[in-house]
Amino acid sequence: MTEDMNQVEVNNYEVGDRVKAMVTKVEEKQVIVDVENSKTDGIIPISELSSLHVEKASDAASEGDELELEVIKVEEDALILSKRKIDALNAWEDLEKKFQSQEVFEAEVKDVVKGGLVVDLGVRGFVPASLVEDYFVEDFSDYKGRTITFKIVELDKEVNRLILSHRAVVQDEKGKKKLKVLETIQAGQVLDGTVQRITDFGAFIDIGGVDGLVHISQLSHEHVEKASDVVTEGQQVKVKVLSVDQDNERISLSIKETLPGPWSGVAEKASRGTELEGQVKRLVSFGAFVEVFPGVEGLVHISQISHKHIGTPHEVLKEGQTVKVKVLDVNEDEQRLSLSMKELEEPEIEETNYQLPEESKGFQLGEMIGDKLKDLK
């Protein structure tokens, strides 16, 4: 074929034409293709192979690949072609459909860059760091090469902007799982859970894809200052469902309700006659409440405080004071405990003053005896 015929062959194509071609040779910075219905070679520069940065042409094409390409320049002895442009045209149409339907799809993470991840979908898709997971990720290096699920959250073909989110997929899945759990669990159920987060007012427990709140007052039978004093993140716990609010998607849980109560076994630990030490918790007009075990208070009636007569317990006791008590009676079922302080005190002996008859009464004992002796004589 003469040079003029080659020129005519090449000039049969114009910039913008679509052609089909087969890869015949892959060089470092370009790919040579055999263009269908053409006697001339086609060349794809490395910059036109992909929407992403490519170090070597072999990263994006192999010998024998059949490609659809766009003519971007007509030279005397070759066609300069672009794979990237056709990929982008095809991709935008598909991506528009995915965006409108909010379809979830899988894609491979091609690169990790500052601020997020890069995905090749025929056009460059970017996943900001904040949209990768629903939790903080410090290092994304191991995400490269992974295939994960995405949704398109922003698309603008005019400025070539495509923003993807894996976090949205995760949150949708959790939302569906949460609704399912909310529909199945009922108040009164005892479930296994994992401590997810600890706050000032309690702890959030994962009970199978949904979090429920254990208020700080429901962590223990004892008074709790900080939730972190009782539970730790990641800890496995048993919880009882107190209530389920499906409308507001809230679940109230209790750890306390799954634990033995403070009164459990009190009948054995504080049987009648047992001597204990406790702390005065409250003073009332009729006596004092003394805590002898965590969460277990017994009443020392005012009559059992002291052998002395007292008007009010405040005369001899103060809140926070440590005292010794003796168990008078215990009723574990009714959670009643009668105590005495008096029983452990020695009663005071009253002193009595005896006086002899006064001399002013006119006689002494000796005189009385003397008089009697005289009469006998």
Side-chain angles (χ1 to χ4, degrees):
M1 185 177 292
T2 65
E3 186 175 332
D4 288 341
M5 291 180 69
N6 274 338
Q7 183 72 35
V8 170
E9 193 74 47
V10 171
N11 287 335
N12 284 339
Y13 293 98
E14 296 180 356
V15 173
D17 285 349
R18 287 191 179 194
V19 299
K20 290 183 178 179
M22 179 181 288
V23 177
T24 58
K25 188 177 182 181
V26 178
E27 299 178 352
E28 186 177 357
K29 296 299 181 183
Q30 64 182 18
V31 172
I32 309 301
V33 297
D34 180 12
V35 180
E36 193 176 79
N37 299 323
S38 175
K39 299 295 184 181
T40 59
D41 287 335
I43 299 172
I44 311 172
I46 192 170
S47 60
E48 293 297 328
L49 278 171
S50 172
S51 61
L52 304 181
H53 175 70
V54 177
E55 290 289 342
K56 305 189 300 290
S58 57
D59 291 339
S62 303
E63 285 187 21
D65 285 352
E66 292 187 357
L67 306 175
E68 187 176 3
L69 308 165
E70 181 178 319
V71 178
I72 57 173
K73 188 176 181 182
V74 178
E75 295 186 346
E76 289 186 6
D77 56 351
L79 293 172
I80 309 302
L81 306 166
S82 173
K83 177 176 177 292
R84 178 177 62 83
K85 284 181 175 292
I86 296 296
D87 288 345
L89 285 171
N90 294 335
W92 281 117
E93 185 177 341
D94 181 55
L95 293 169
E96 285 277 6
K97 293 176 182 177
K98 284 182 167 61
F99 182 50
Q100 294 301 326
S101 64
Q102 284 295 282
E103 179 185 336
V104 175
F105 55 90
E106 288 187 340
E108 182 184 342
V109 176
K110 290 293 185 182
D111 203 2
V112 176
V113 296
K114 184 178 180 180
L117 311 177
V118 174
V119 177
D120 183 11
L121 295 172
V123 294
R124 183 181 186 274
F126 182 63
V127 190
S130 61
L131 298 183
V132 177
E133 301 289 359
D134 63 344
Y135 54 87
F136 175 73
V137 179
E138 187 171 353
D139 183 9
F140 290 102
S141 57
D142 64 340
Y143 277 75
K144 186 173 182 178
R146 282 175 55 183
T147 297
I148 54 180
T149 50
F150 295 104
K151 284 175 73 171
I152 300 171
V153 293
E154 192 176 335
L155 181 150
D156 190 337
K157 183 179 176 181
E158 298 303 319
V159 295
N160 207 39
R161 181 176 176 82
L162 180 66
I163 306 298
L164 310 175
S165 173
H166 175 62
R167 177 182 177 179
V169 177
V170 172
Q171 290 179 330
D172 284 352
E173 289 173 351
K174 284 187 175 181
K176 290 174 184 175
K177 201 169 186 180
K178 186 173 185 177
L179 287 174
K180 189 175 181 180
V181 173
L182 285 166
E183 290 170 358
T184 55
I185 66 169
Q186 296 178 343
Q189 284 182 301
V190 176
L191 307 167
D192 292 320
T194 305
V195 179
Q196 288 290 91
R197 286 185 297 124
I198 296 174
T199 67
D200 292 339
F201 51 84
F204 286 94
I205 314 295
D206 178 3
I207 51 173
V210 58
D211 288 353
L213 173 65
V214 177
H215 189 267
I216 194 166
S217 63
Q218 291 294 327
L219 285 170
S220 173
H221 289 288
E222 300 175 33
H223 176 69
V224 177
E225 290 287 345
K226 295 186 298 181
S228 57
D229 292 339
V230 183
V231 292
T232 56
E233 289 186 6
Q235 181 181 345
Q236 302 296 308
V237 293
K238 283 196 176 295
V239 291
K240 184 175 181 180
V241 181
L242 299 181
S243 65
V244 181
D245 183 348
Q246 291 192 13
D247 293 335
N248 294 306
E249 298 184 356
R250 290 178 183 169
I251 303 172
S252 296
L253 305 170
S254 173
I255 292 176
K256 181 172 76 174
E257 292 282 323
T258 68
L259 303 173
W263 284 83
S264 179
V266 165
E268 293 181 12
K269 294 187 291 184
S271 57
R272 187 176 298 178
T274 302
E275 295 181 10
L276 303 167
E277 189 172 83
Q279 187 180 63
V280 178
K281 286 292 182 180
R282 289 176 295 137
L283 294 175
V284 292
S285 60
F286 54 85
F289 286 95
V290 177
E291 185 179 57
V292 291
F293 302 113
V296 177
E297 292 182 8
L299 173 65
V300 180
H301 190 268
I302 191 169
S303 63
Q304 291 294 329
I305 291 177
S306 175
H307 288 287
K308 294 180 181 179
H309 173 73
I310 58 175
T312 67
H314 297 79
E315 293 178 19
V316 292
L317 295 173
K318 59 182 179 181
E319 291 181 359
Q321 182 179 344
T322 299
V323 295
K324 292 185 181 297
V325 293
K326 183 176 181 180
V327 178
L328 300 180
D329 191 29
V330 58
N331 188 322
E332 187 175 312
D333 293 334
E334 295 182 8
Q335 298 187 359
R336 298 175 77 174
L337 189 62
S338 297
L339 306 171
S340 174
M341 292 170 56
K342 183 172 74 174
E343 291 269 322
L344 299 178
E345 290 182 355
E346 290 290 336
E348 292 187 3
I349 299 174
E350 293 185 8
E351 293 184 4
T352 305
N353 293 322
Y354 293 97
Q355 294 182 348
L356 291 172
E358 295 178 6
E359 290 183 1
S360 61
K361 289 185 179 178
F363 57 88
Q364 296 287 340
L365 182 59
E367 292 176 351
M368 288 176 62
I369 294 172
D371 290 344
K372 289 290 182 183
L373 290 172
K374 287 179 182 178
D375 291 342
L376 289 172
K377 291 178 181 179

